[in-house]
Amino acid sequence: MIEMKQAVTYRGAMGKTRSNLSIRYLEQYIAFGLLWLCAIVTVAVMLAIVGYVFYTGFKVIDIEFLTTPPRGGLSGEGGMSTTIVATLYLVALTLAVATPIGVGAAVYFVEYASDLLGKTGFMPRVVTVARFGVETLAGVPSIIFGLFGYVLFVSALKFGFSLLSAALAGACLILPVIIRTSEEALRTVPRAYREGSLALGATQWETVHKVVLPTALPGIITGIVLSVGRVISETAVFYVTFGGSYNMVTSLFSSGRTMALHLYYLAMDTRAFDKAMGTGAILVAFIVMINLSINLVSRRLTAREE
Amino acid sequence: MRAKRLADKLVNYILLFNALVAILVITAIALLIVRESLPAWRGIGLKELFLGTSWRPNNEMFGLLPMITGSIIVTIGAIVLGVPLAVGAAVFLAEVAPPKVRGIVRPAIELLAGIPSVVYGLFGMVVLVPLVRRIPVPGNTGYGILAASMVLAVMILPTVTNISEDAIRSVPREYREGSLALGTTRWQTIVGVLIPSARSGIVAAVVLGIGRALGETMAMIMVIGNSVVMPSPLTANPLTLVLRQTRTLTGNIAVEINYATGVHESALFATGVVLFALIMLTNTAAHTLMRGRS
């Protein structure tokens, strides 16, 4: 309110200097022009990056590039097949670890802990601490997750540079993403659904897994798809936990490289920029598809709510 | 019925455990990284780590100052280049954009947020670095602070824009209407009422952007050059500072961790502790600012 008052006096003073209408509108035209420019520059930057990566990347992409394994060498010979497989394994394993925990945590926060809100005592304090954990974890930079994975999974637990180490470190990274998006999805379920179910004599858990979760499912899936994107594009964590071998990943303890890691090695170790761009184009194509599908689902959801 | 109630209790505890995993992980991260860094604090000493200007692991020199300075300068560069654009885009989306244009700009920003950091790094190496190299200054390789700041500016844009837009949108309607009813133009309402009211939210957005910039790793390694020197101008002109190759805290960890042993490895964990502390500081500041508003 104070700000409002200040603002009004400020504008009042402006009025006294007899700034007339046409000058005020001229000012507005110029300002809005600049704002439009900001938006245009933003879109142009996106188009420049995506356009350049697609244009130069798709030149090197053919069936052979996608289906042959990298052969190493100074010019980054071979294709990228094993890196696609390694990425898929890593995405699957990371989600298999993080999804149950993340959705479980979200269910607890929304369905069980909301009764504790504003109360004092032991349990509300535990919930506050748990919430703080999620908030803090979401802000931790990925290289720190990498260090953590390196010291705990690679060294202390002796998993080595492996699919397992990478997936466990990756799961820590995406856990807050899954918790937050699932919470949002659960919050959109109308209270009447819960009350109806409870009134019919269902226990809280029956209500949650037969009524609330199925209703929130599309939103939860959106969160999972979002995390798929995070794992595909993440590099720093896997750079220090996955080892970087370009051979086929055959077990939980195989070293490997994701597509993003492959891009990094191509660009930095071999300077094979053309093949790196090819890999980049595939990566960006994945991200575009993920974004499109999320938009589609969320548009459906808003349509349903209306 | 009784069995059902019992199962219900059991599920309650299982879910509670899931909810506690995040705090367990963050505690484990903090404890392990601090523990691994202890030999460095003891063996090298606070003074050498924070004030030493040389990082030469082979000669047992472990000064983090070049990397701390590098991280801070690159972040300032990204803020200077990125924030005006990001806040401008946020005001545009919240107040000016027709719905159809919004439908183009929003997904564009979402895509910018999703592009992998290695792709930004590669774009920087292939497009921006050759451009920067054209600046005729002796010793200019193209790699360095300027290229890194440009890449970072784009990478933090989605964070800053999204949170600023939310802040502007959450200004109560009465403020807007009250101002317009006094006969101000829409632009006067924006600068005189909306931006001042959303100020703490916009500042929080910028602080979160700083956090993201400090934490960025791969793209930085790819364009910043990674040489460990105290950032200083290349020539007598102080502006040539931006053409200097340097290294960030994040890059220091990633480049060396896979082969480091002994005190060297511990010094990298100490780098992690410094980075972790810096980011916790900025994030806490941002969250306090946002909470202060609501």
Side-chain angles (χ1 to χ4, degrees):
Chain A
M1 270 328 273
I2 298 162
E3 280 147 348
M4 176 80 188
K5 221 153 111 201
Q6 276 171 350
V8 171
T9 24
Y10 166 54
R11 288 296 138 190
M14 281 279 288
K16 271 181 212 144
T17 60
R18 306 234 64 85
S19 72
N20 64 39
L21 206 58
S22 62
I23 288 179
R24 291 198 293 155
Y25 272 108
L26 183 68
E27 190 186 273
Q28 167 156 318
Y29 273 126
I30 296 168
F32 278 21
L34 286 174
L35 291 177
W36 272 90
L37 190 68
C38 284
I40 291 167
V41 169
T42 305
V43 176
V45 166
M46 185 281 285
L47 287 177
I49 296 174
V50 173
Y52 185 86
V53 172
F54 276 168
Y55 179 73
T56 50
F58 278 114
K59 279 187 197 158
V60 298
I61 295 172
D62 50 26
I63 293 294
E64 206 201 325
F65 184 72
L66 293 174
T67 55
T68 54
R71 289 194 303 275
L74 281 178
S75 55
E77 279 137 51
M80 58 179 294
S81 67
T82 55
T83 70
I84 301 177
V85 177
T87 309
L88 293 179
Y89 280 153
L90 186 63
V91 166
L93 194 56
T94 308
L95 287 175
V97 177
T99 309
I101 301 174
V103 175
V107 167
Y108 187 81
F109 285 132
V110 177
E111 304 296 325
Y112 290 77
S114 48
D115 299 344
L116 301 172
L117 235 133
K119 290 186 185 153
T120 51
F122 178 65
M123 280 317 287
R125 222 170 283 161
V126 170
V127 172
T128 314
V129 171
R131 282 226 142 280
F132 171 78
V134 178
E135 242 177 62
T136 315
L137 202 62
V140 172
S142 58
I143 188 67
I144 297 286
F145 284 103
L147 269 183
F148 170 66
Y150 175 77
V151 55
L152 183 60
F153 306 127
V154 177
S155 309
L157 295 174
K158 300 208 165 53
F159 297 156
F161 294 109
S162 64
L163 179 61
L164 185 59
S165 298
L168 291 174
C172 298
L173 175 84
I174 61 167
L175 186 63
V177 182
I178 295 191
I179 295 179
R180 285 174 161 187
T181 46
S182 304
E183 274 188 275
E184 261 170 50
L186 290 167
R187 290 219 168 86
T188 60
V189 177
R191 255 182 73 178
Y193 286 27
R194 293 184 185 96
E195 285 162 359
S197 166
L198 290 171
L200 288 173
T203 62
Q204 187 159 22
W205 174 239
E206 283 172 325
T207 305
V208 167
H209 87 106
K210 289 192 181 146
V211 179
V212 178
L213 278 178
T215 319
L217 195 62
I220 293 174
I221 291 175
T222 311
I224 295 172
V225 174
L226 203 69
S227 327
V228 172
R230 274 300 298 268
V231 177
I232 291 179
S233 40
E234 181 51 49
T235 320
V237 174
F238 306 135
Y239 183 63
V240 294
T241 52
F242 204 4
S245 155
Y246 53 71
N247 294 323
M248 186 60 101
V249 170
T250 50
S251 80
L252 281 178
F253 298 100
S254 301
S255 161
R257 55 168 79 164
T258 61
M259 293 185 283
L261 265 178
H262 186 51
L263 187 163
Y264 176 81
Y265 287 120
L266 283 176
M268 295 296 283
D269 292 357
T270 65
R271 306 266 147 177
F273 289 131
D274 55 336
K275 296 221 164 152
M277 275 296 176
T279 314
I282 302 282
L283 272 174
V284 175
F286 267 109
I287 300 298
V288 170
M289 279 191 295
I290 284 171
N291 278 10
L292 284 178
S293 56
I294 289 176
N295 279 342
L296 212 72
V297 173
S298 58
R299 209 165 287 165
R300 279 242 180 99
L301 283 180
T302 28
R304 195 184 65 185
E305 270 161 37
E306 279 156 12
Chain B
M1 201 57 205
R2 208 149 157 219
K4 251 190 188 175
R5 292 280 168 221
L6 201 69
D8 220 37
K9 261 256 144 65
L10 190 69
V11 167
N12 191 333
Y13 285 116
I14 295 172
L15 292 174
L16 171 63
F17 173 74
N18 285 334
L20 288 170
V21 169
I23 187 76
L24 293 178
V25 171
I26 192 82
T27 314
I29 289 178
L31 286 180
L32 280 175
I33 292 178
V34 169
R35 200 193 71 173
E36 295 295 312
S37 71
L38 284 180
W41 304 115
R42 287 211 199 96
I44 303 164
L46 277 176
K47 197 177 159 218
E48 161 74 8
L49 274 168
F50 280 112
L51 299 176
T53 53
S54 318
W55 173 273
R56 287 197 209 104
N58 295 335
N59 304 349
E60 303 274 314
M61 295 169 91
F62 298 102
L64 288 175
L65 197 58
M67 277 74 89
I68 298 175
T69 322
S71 277
I72 292 175
I73 295 180
V74 172
T75 301
I76 293 173
I79 297 299
V80 169
L81 294 174
V83 164
L85 186 64
V87 174
V91 175
F92 178 81
L93 285 171
E95 292 298 320
V96 182
K100 270 194 185 151
V101 180
R102 214 183 120 73
I104 298 170
V105 180
R106 273 260 110 248
I109 292 174
E110 274 160 28
L111 192 53
L112 281 179
I115 292 177
S117 90
V118 279
V119 172
Y120 280 113
L122 181 64
F123 184 81
M125 284 173 96
V126 176
V127 179
L128 296 179
V129 167
L131 279 178
V132 174
R133 197 179 291 140
R134 287 196 190 166
I135 302 172
V137 169
N140 174 19
T141 57
Y143 290 93
I145 293 169
L146 180 59
S149 295
M150 289 198 285
V151 170
L152 260 192
V154 180
M155 294 184 77
I156 63 167
L157 186 138
T159 309
V160 180
T161 302
N162 288 342
I163 297 169
S164 307
E165 189 196 345
D166 281 348
I168 296 165
R169 275 182 190 281
S170 62
V171 175
R173 259 182 71 184
E174 292 78 15
Y175 286 26
R176 203 169 280 126
E177 286 164 358
S179 167
L180 290 171
L182 290 172
T184 64
T185 63
R186 278 165 68 204
W187 172 243
Q188 284 175 316
T189 302
I190 290 172
V191 283
V193 177
L194 296 181
I195 292 181
S197 309
R199 192 180 50 217
S200 62
I202 295 172
V203 174
V206 174
V207 177
L208 278 182
I210 293 175
R212 272 224 57 187
L214 288 172
E216 178 48 44
T217 313
M218 302 317 276
M220 289 304 97
I221 302 179
M222 292 169 87
V223 293
I224 207 166
N226 295 319
S227 59
V228 197
V229 281
M230 277 306 284
S232 60
L234 290 175
T235 65
N237 182 350
L239 278 179
T240 56
L241 172 70
V242 301
L243 300 174
R244 172 70 77 182
Q245 292 195 22
T246 180
R247 187 185 273 196
T248 59
L249 289 166
T250 52
N252 195 41
I253 301 171
V255 168
E256 298 185 1
I257 190 73
N258 281 350
Y259 62 83
T261 51
V263 186
H264 182 194
E265 187 178 10
S266 182
L268 294 177
F269 279 95
T271 316
V273 172
V274 174
L275 178 68
F276 195 70
L278 270 177
I279 291 194
M280 285 301 120
L281 212 68
T282 50
N283 285 356
T284 314
H287 284 300
T288 318
L289 278 167
M290 283 197 273
R291 228 172 265 130
R293 219 184 64 227
S294 61

